[in-house]
Amino acid sequence: MLKRVVFWLIFMPLAAFGQQSKPHAAGDTAIKALPARLAEYYATYPTEKAYLQFDKPYYAIGDTIYFKAYVVIREQHKLSALSGVLNVDLISPDNKIVRTEKLQLIAGVAWADFVLADSLKNGNYRIRAYTNWMRNESEDSFFWKIISVAGVAKKSESNKEIVKKAENKPAVNSIDIQFLPEGGSFVAGNYSKIAFKAVDQNGQGVDLKGVIVDERGEEVTTLASTHLGMGSFYMVPQVGKSYKANVTFADGSHSTRELPTALLAGYTLSVNYTNPDTIRIRVTAGGSGFADGLSLAGQSGGVLDYVVENQQSGSKFFSVAIPASKFPTGIAQFTLFSASGEPLNERLIFVDHEDRLKLNLNLKRAYNTREKVKIDLASIFNDSKPATASFSVAVTDEAIMPVDTVNENTIVSNLLLTSELKGTVEQPNYYFTEINERTRAALDNLMLTQGYRYFNWKKILSDGEPNIKFQPEKGLSISGKVSKWGKPFLNAKVKLFSNKGGTFMLDTVTDKDGRFAFNDLMFEDSTKFVIQSKVPKGQDAVTLDLDTTFSHQLELKTNFHPVITDISADFSGYLLNQRRFYEEQQRFGINKHEVVLREVKVQARYEAKIPDSQNLNGSGGADYTFTAKDIEKMICTRLTECLQGRIPRVRFINDVPVGMALVIDGNFVDADMFTTLNPDDIEGIEVIVSLHYASIYGSRMANGGIIVTTKRAKKQNQYYRYAPGVVTYMPKGFYKAREFYSPQYDNPHTNQKMADLRSTIYWNPNIITDKDGKASFSYFNADGKGTYRVVIEGIDADGNLGRQVYRYKVE
């Protein structure tokens, strides 16, 4: 990895850029405080970023979304040891959180999955991932991903028609065009570069061309977008003149837009980075001003790599030439400061040394269907150094699911580019798929038109500290308050019990406010706890309340309008394959679904019967269903009495259902919890006894199950009170990821007759290369013929990123 240093530059003559600045002389100036202040700030307040790799770009109802999460420290991209918990939400097209998971981060990585239950709707889902520490930044700093899920279509409407409907032609007056002077200032009399960006109401770029004219209608220059509505042009604005752009869009429509009014005074900051080895910067003063006392600073990832002061007096400009090697790969920010330390102009550039990890795989060009593929992976940095790294690999059949590569969100495009910028970046992988002069120019236009997310000099240089509301979570917490006669009780003894995985007990005492907390806990989802408080006298008057009964669910933006990316191609062929896949599984009694994919149509057989049911088959998707009204009519005091004799093949011993799984409010719990349930607290019960409904739950419901939805959950209360100062609690614990199923055709017990129609051929989120940079893995091809695509992504111990895409034929 490049060594980061702060240095004061002694300049060589640059005839093309004119008068040069001189090195700084000793003295107290505002610019001298920058290196120490910046280093102190980010040492105290590092920032985290999250990235998720998925097994494939789009899904069908009934699929499982597999993903791996990487959480890094932004300043170096090293895997983070700061946070131990990552929150991941699946958000529906109507802006509701339909699934949420807590993942245990170990050395900055974790992996999990979301089951797309048959009860879900089709459309563009979002996945949001964040740590508690990331909540101190804006919500824009979270990881966001749009996942297209195909499902219900009206009549014979195909997915391609749905996409076209979402890409309706925008009205001319709804197209926003921004004109953005390089460096931020449009100064009269200065030769200036003006960038522009045109987007429609969905945030998608709109191509245009046109002319710039003055107030008399005389042509000044021309303009034309080069990529996704972005482009740039040069001009010298004159004092007293106004300018406008007469543009023509790709569909032939016309519009006129005003340019910003030129300033009489200010500075123009220009960057020439056409030579990848050298960054040339020129600062020009406008009007009667001079460049005296100005300073220039360059930072990347919170590290100050370059600082210089202009020591010339009476000059209207100064210029510098900086070796690009002084900056690491990623976004570099150059800021012009006044003599008093006030930021005046800023310019972003993207530095790319193309120094990613090199990943070598020993793949053949062609294989047979169901042939075993054994891959040896070698990870190398700087062409020679073995890299110990964490990788995830996804293999897909491109004949079934073609990929729009420029729209992919990759570990490189995300961590180096889009996570640093405000708003949505269209086609993020376009800038990295094929690096050439054209893509570099397009990337520079993006730097000129897209806002910077993380870095704010005024915030860094202020004497005040940032407002830190949320601390890093190392583990999970259970906390609450003990009261007696409604008043906080000091020094009450509080014990935490759990019998899952062996007896577990912790104890503590309350503070002066009656509060207690058990922090940094590590437990799986659906673990049952008993929390008990004790006071010397008057136990009957004691109340114990928990305040961690729900994981924080941040308010979602109601004005969300996603830019459609991964759904840009018709993937009805994929849906047809999935229908055949499900039908083949049903034929052999495996993983049955209620999904009926005919001509890209999904039909749900059951209507919702139980409010807030989290049944993966959909509400009412069970062999027997009892609503709250049904239970009221039974007139019973214990739940066993309510159900005894009403469900064939279900037996109860000591009020516990024999051999059956128990799910309460979406969580698998110990079966003996059944005895604690009060019929009056039940919203509904769904009983599964057939493989037809049990298969979506996997082996945990091999003998059937009882799914209980409580009224208490509806009132946002996840714990039950049994005696004064005693509650039982089933908090949201760490999610245990499903193991991806990949058939082993060299095993005689593997079903050889069932057609293998997998679209994701292989998914492995946990590949670790050793000290020699090597690892290996293997899998079997499916029955599909054509091109298989292997995608490997990961990070090494020094924060170096790696991504490789390989393809091979299956015949």
Side-chain angles (χ1 to χ4, degrees), residues 664-683:
I664 299 179
D665 298 326
N667 296 313
F668 279 89
V669 300
D670 294 338
D672 59 6
M673 279 295 295
F674 194 81
T675 63
T676 68
L677 296 171
N678 187 331
D680 293 336
D681 296 332
I682 305 302
E683 188 71 52

Side-chain angles (χ1 to χ4, degrees), residues 213-251:
V213 298
D214 61 17
E215 76 281 0
R216 300 173 58 183
E218 294 182 359
E219 182 177 323
V220 177
T221 188
T222 61
L223 73 160
S225 60
T226 55
H227 181 64
L228 296 175
M230 293 180 289
S232 59
F233 58 89
Y234 292 89
M235 64 178 291
V236 180
Q238 300 299 320
V239 176
K241 284 183 172 289
S242 61
Y243 302 93
K244 60 184 177 181
N246 295 326
V247 300
T248 302
F249 300 109
D251 63 0

Side-chain angles (χ1 to χ4, degrees), residues 610-630:
I610 299 175
D612 301 315
S613 169
Q614 297 186 45
N615 185 349
L616 294 183
N617 294 293
S619 180
D623 295 288
Y624 303 93
T625 301
F626 304 95
T627 66
K629 290 184 178 180
D630 295 331

